[in-house]
């Protein structure tokens, strides 16, 4: 199935990727994939793929920190307000 080439930030301490925008769609060239250009428009097969595969993650920058979600989770676990 097709994949999105996403650009974003890599948070080094937790390794999470934060998508900023989708730069391109990588076409899988499959006629069984509704996201592909090769898929016929009039196809009614319910078995065709309708979703994208996992994003291809391209780091445009990296931060030596935890991501927002991880910091929020840590703050909740420690019972302190999020700064
Ligand atoms: Zn595809
Ligand atoms: Zn189809
Ligand atoms: Zn994280």
């Amino acid at each position: 199935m097709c994949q999105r080439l996403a650009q974003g930030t890599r948070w080094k301490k937790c390794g999470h990727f934060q998508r900023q925008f989708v730069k391109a769609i990588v076409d899988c060239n499959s006629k069984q994939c509704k996201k592909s250009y090769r898929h016929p428009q009039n196809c009614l097969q319910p078995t065709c793929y309708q979703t994208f595969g996992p994003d291809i993650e391209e780091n445009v920058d990296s931060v030596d920190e935890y991501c927002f979600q991880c910091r929020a989770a840590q703050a909740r676990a420690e019972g302190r307000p999020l700064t």
Side-chain angles (χ1 to χ4, degrees):
M1 60 182 86
C2 304
Q3 288 173 280
R4 287 172 294 205
L5 177 60
Q7 285 195 327
T9 303
R10 177 71 60 186
W11 297 87
K12 283 193 197 168
K13 284 193 178 172
C14 59
H16 285 137
F17 181 77
Q18 184 186 2
R19 191 172 74 198
Q20 287 167 4
F21 68 99
V22 175
K23 186 181 164 193
I25 306 290
V26 181
D27 202 292
C28 64
N29 292 317
S30 167
K31 287 177 187 169
Q32 275 98 53
C33 175
K34 288 193 178 182
K35 303 287 184 197
S36 174
Y37 288 116
R38 291 192 63 190
H39 182 258
Q41 297 233 321
N42 55 357
C43 171
L44 295 170
Q45 293 266 2
T47 50
C48 292
Y49 290 121
Q50 300 193 44
T51 53
F52 288 110
D55 286 355
I56 300 163
E57 298 172 348
E58 195 176 278
N59 302 342
V60 282
D61 64 31
S62 59
V63 185
D64 197 14
E65 250 306 341
Y66 292 99
C67 73
F68 298 116
Q69 277 182 7
C70 285
R71 270 183 279 166
Q74 284 163 9
R76 265 200 306 278
E78 293 167 16
R80 62 179 160 82
L82 184 62
T83 47

